[in-house]
Amino acid sequence: MTQAVAPADAILVADDIIVRFDTAEGPITAVDNISFKVRPGEFLSIIGPSGCGKSTLFNVLGGLLENYQGTVNVAGETIAGPHKSIGMVFQEESTFPWRTVTDNVAFPLELVGMPKSKRIDRARHFIKLVGLDGFDNRYPGELSGGMRQRVSLARTLASEPKILLMDEPFAALDEQTRLLLGDKVLQIQQELKQTTLLITHNITEAVQMSDRILVMTYRPGKVKRIFDIDLPRPRTSEIVGSETFGRYVAQIWNDLREEANRGMLDEEKYALEHERAL
Amino acid sequence: MTMEVSRKTASRRDYAAPLVGLGTLIAFLAIVETLIRVGLLNRFIIPPPSEIIGSFGRLFLEENIVHRFFFTAGECLVAGVMVAVSGIAIGVVMQRFSLLQRACETWVAAFASAPLVLTYPLFMVIFGRNAWTIIMMGFLSALPPVILKTIEGISGTRKVLINVGRSFKLTATQQFWKILFPAALPTIFVGIRLGLIFALINIVGTEFLINFGGLGQLINDLAERYDLAGTYAAICFVILVSVLFFMTLEKAERWLRPVD
């Protein structure tokens, strides 16, 4: 299904990642022996059913989770904790409500001590890039959910990370906004040749944007298959209507359906056991 | 045309509540005035509102109320600065060390509801009959809400904002000043607002009790002279000051956090 990525070509290498959690029901393995590599400039999506450990993997890659086995290597450096080469965009709304759009986007530039006038110019560049020019002096409270996510994206891009790591950034948005924002992310990714990792449970979103898609199994999360998406670039959401697109969606859904079913049965079983315990 | 009509309706709606409020107050005063005049209320216990209103001029001309107001306001300001600095600092330290928080939070909450004004003799012994005793009474009563709201505000910071800070490799100090503190500020300000109101009540109360200082002492003086109309006018003045104080704090809060 996919061609192996030689380590020398890879900007990110995840090797044998295992994450275990202690719960009231005993220890569980959330992520089990996950290994993959990402090429520079590549768009890789990681897809799986709810509860497969996608967000756990996001935290491992972003350096927010410390207790795991295996290694994450970024541009030849093994990471321990958050790394300046990785910029994270979170699923939840994460703008700072006390800062204007410009001040939000300029946040990482402020941290590196960039002079105020320069960082405002730089922030405006990224605000324009995400299509929010004219909203520079607004506060997040005055913006829609989609606009706020674009502010978060611009803020992360302003730190000029080598790898953009996104955890279901459009999950809380409606389908139309999601497709349009997908276009925006694609446009930016193509313009900046930005290496991007997208964690998602949305097949359409993954196929629309990715060069490769890694499908995860339901608990414990393992790599089930990696798909190469051979669709022409530059892409927009118009590609959603093409026959090849539909074929990819069907193939991935075939792989994912079994895992989603397992997840659903597991949740039902847990709910019944919980009810009996009560 | 339609927009103009809706703007007019909206502006009428904006004024409706304050006008009804003012009307209710005037009606209440008119009823009290009538009851006193017909003899149903004793004018030696409650003076007629018209006499109270008439005494306001006297408070300004003879009783030096403006000077007294600034005296009390100064005490409030000193107590406010002290409570903001130390209350927030104590709250931050308690939130940072969970053992300390678990050990002391109940005590602080208990202090918030205790009649602290009764401790004024202790401060009289320590500081004497002067402004510091009054300031300390205000400070002490304002401290618990500021501490409790600081703990609540910092603990309530959304995890995702903390993770944003971590993803940008913020140091502990940066994490506090750039994320935790601004995120907690609206809740901390609720504590400061509550604290300053408690401080004002206790400062005026202590001034009354020790017969020293600004507005509280004035009320005490007028009451001892059995100048009932003047006493009630001074009490009304303190209420007006409290309302003004509360409104200023609300404006300051909105200025600190323009849009949420």
Side-chain angles (χ1 to χ4, degrees):
Chain A
M1 275 285 167
T2 185
Q3 291 176 343
V5 180
D9 297 339
I11 190 167
L12 183 141
V13 181
D15 196 20
D16 272 340
I17 305 292
I18 302 170
V19 184
R20 290 196 184 93
F21 292 119
D22 286 322
T23 67
E25 286 83 32
I28 60 156
T29 305
V31 172
D32 195 12
N33 282 101
I34 285 199
S35 298
F36 63 90
K37 299 176 182 81
V38 186
R39 302 180 189 100
E42 185 181 24
F43 199 123
L44 175 81
S45 286
I46 297 173
I47 194 166
S50 298
C52 77
K54 299 188 294 288
S55 291
T56 305
L57 190 58
F58 170 82
N59 287 332
V60 168
L61 297 173
L64 298 182
L65 197 71
E66 280 157 8
N67 292 326
Y68 67 90
Q69 288 173 36
T71 55
V72 179
N73 200 291
V74 178
E77 196 184 329
T78 301
I79 65 161
H83 194 275
K84 62 181 186 312
S85 299
I86 296 180
M88 301 173 84
V89 179
F90 295 84
Q91 183 178 352
E92 303 99 314
E93 205 278 288
S94 67
T95 52
F96 301 131
W98 58 90
R99 286 173 170 255
T100 61
V101 169
T102 305
D103 289 342
N104 259 288
V105 178
F107 182 72
L109 309 172
E110 191 182 307
L111 296 175
V112 295
M114 190 181 277
K116 194 174 180 184
S117 61
K118 202 175 165 193
R119 72 172 181 251
I120 287 174
D121 283 348
R122 199 84 194 111
R124 287 209 175 118
H125 164 76
F126 287 101
I127 291 168
K128 200 173 174 190
L129 194 71
V130 297
L132 284 177
D133 34 341
F135 293 92
D136 313 42
N137 295 320
R138 299 285 184 92
Y139 284 88
E142 298 173 297
L143 306 177
S144 68
M147 289 162 100
R148 287 187 216 179
Q149 274 306 56
R150 278 190 274 168
V151 175
S152 300
L153 176 63
R155 181 179 61 194
T156 306
L157 289 173
S159 67
E160 299 190 31
K162 284 185 179 147
I163 299 160
L164 178 64
L165 179 60
M166 300 194 284
D167 182 18
E168 306 196 37
F170 315 133
L173 309 175
D174 63 82
E175 188 60 23
Q176 290 159 28
T177 314
R178 184 196 288 254
L179 279 169
L180 293 174
L181 276 188
D183 277 353
K184 197 46 126 181
V185 170
L186 264 179
Q187 184 200 327
I188 294 166
Q189 194 260 341
Q190 282 155 185
E191 205 175 311
L192 302 177
K193 304 210 179 331
Q194 175 75 60
T195 309
T196 307
L197 252 99
L198 172 72
I199 310 277
T200 182
H201 62 258
N202 187 310
I203 306 175
T204 315
E205 189 175 276
V207 178
Q208 181 196 347
M209 295 201 253
S210 312
D211 296 307
R212 287 190 301 151
I213 297 175
L214 185 156
V215 179
M216 282 177 76
T217 60
Y218 180 70
R219 203 172 292 163
K222 293 181 181 184
V223 179
K224 182 162 187 172
R225 204 187 303 262
I226 299 180
F227 288 90
D228 277 316
I229 306 297
D230 193 14
L231 288 168
R233 284 193 188 271
R235 286 179 211 163
T236 65
S237 53
E238 283 173 19
I239 207 155
V240 170
S242 79
E243 199 188 318
T244 326
F245 186 93
R247 227 177 9 251
Y248 279 124
V249 171
Q251 278 176 16
I252 293 164
W253 174 234
N254 263 346
D255 260 24
L256 210 54
R257 185 169 45 204
E258 189 190 337
E259 302 306 322
N261 261 328
R262 275 181 56 213
M264 213 161 70
L265 288 172
D266 202 39
E267 274 175 14
E268 282 169 10
K269 196 175 128 198
Y270 175 79
L272 283 171
E273 277 171 9
H274 191 69
E275 202 178 275
R276 257 182 240 131
L278 287 172
Chain B
M1 191 70 178
T2 322
M3 266 182 70
E4 204 175 308
V5 171
S6 66
R7 211 176 298 141
K8 271 183 189 165
T9 317
S11 108
R12 218 174 293 149
R13 224 177 292 136
D14 286 347
Y15 287 113
L19 284 176
V20 171
L22 192 67
T24 312
L25 181 69
I26 292 168
F28 173 74
L29 294 176
I31 291 168
V32 174
E33 181 86 28
T34 315
L35 291 175
I36 292 167
R37 283 184 191 275
V38 297
L40 284 172
L41 284 177
N42 187 338
R43 64 186 308 128
F44 296 107
I45 296 172
I46 303 167
S50 56
E51 271 180 38
I52 296 173
I53 294 164
S55 303
F56 267 98
R58 200 152 48 80
L59 294 182
F60 283 91
L61 295 171
E62 294 166 20
E63 306 294 346
N64 216 358
I65 200 167
V66 177
H67 173 78
R68 288 171 184 275
F69 162 75
F70 281 114
F71 193 94
T72 303
E75 289 168 340
C76 281
L77 187 72
V78 175
V81 171
M82 281 167 61
V83 86
V85 173
S86 48
I88 293 171
I90 295 169
V92 168
V93 171
M94 280 176 70
Q95 197 277 336
R96 176 76 185 77
F97 301 100
S98 64
L99 177 65
L100 195 64
Q101 186 184 337
R102 278 182 281 131
C104 303
E105 201 174 357
T106 319
W107 286 106
V108 178
F111 257 97
S113 53
L116 292 173
V117 73
L118 300 179
T119 60
Y120 82 92
L122 171 71
F123 291 98
M124 286 270 277
V125 171
I126 299 171
F127 296 103
R129 187 173 158 265
N130 61 34
W132 278 108
T133 295
I134 300 165
I135 290 167
M136 286 310 292
M137 289 308 302
F139 167 72
L140 206 65
S141 58
L143 204 53
V146 179
I147 295 173
L148 294 174
K149 285 288 170 186
T150 303
I151 295 172
E152 187 188 317
I154 295 176
S155 307
T157 304
R158 288 192 298 131
K159 192 158 185 258
V160 70
L161 297 184
I162 296 168
N163 279 341
V164 170
R166 289 181 65 200
S167 77
F168 285 122
K169 291 177 74 70
L170 261 59
T171 61
T173 315
Q174 285 174 321
Q175 185 81 265
F176 177 77
W177 286 112
K178 293 197 179 289
I179 293 178
L180 292 172
F181 186 68
L185 204 55
T187 315
I188 293 175
F189 213 91
V190 172
I192 291 179
R193 203 166 60 181
L194 272 173
L196 289 182
I197 289 164
F198 287 174
L200 181 67
I201 295 168
N202 277 274
I203 281 173
V204 175
T206 313
E207 280 179 345
F208 181 88
L209 284 171
I210 69 171
N211 198 15
F212 184 90
L215 298 170
Q217 191 198 22
L218 174 65
I219 295 170
N220 192 332
D221 279 353
L222 293 165
E224 287 197 354
R225 275 187 256 146
Y226 205 66
D227 179 354
L228 277 186
T231 307
Y232 277 87
I235 292 170
C236 288
F237 186 82
V238 172
I239 293 170
L240 285 175
V241 167
S242 306
V243 171
L244 207 70
F245 191 56
F246 190 79
M247 282 162 72
T248 314
L249 285 173
E250 254 189 347
K251 284 245 187 288
E253 192 177 354
R254 244 177 267 149
W255 176 74
L256 275 171
R257 176 64 64 88
V259 180
D260 228 351

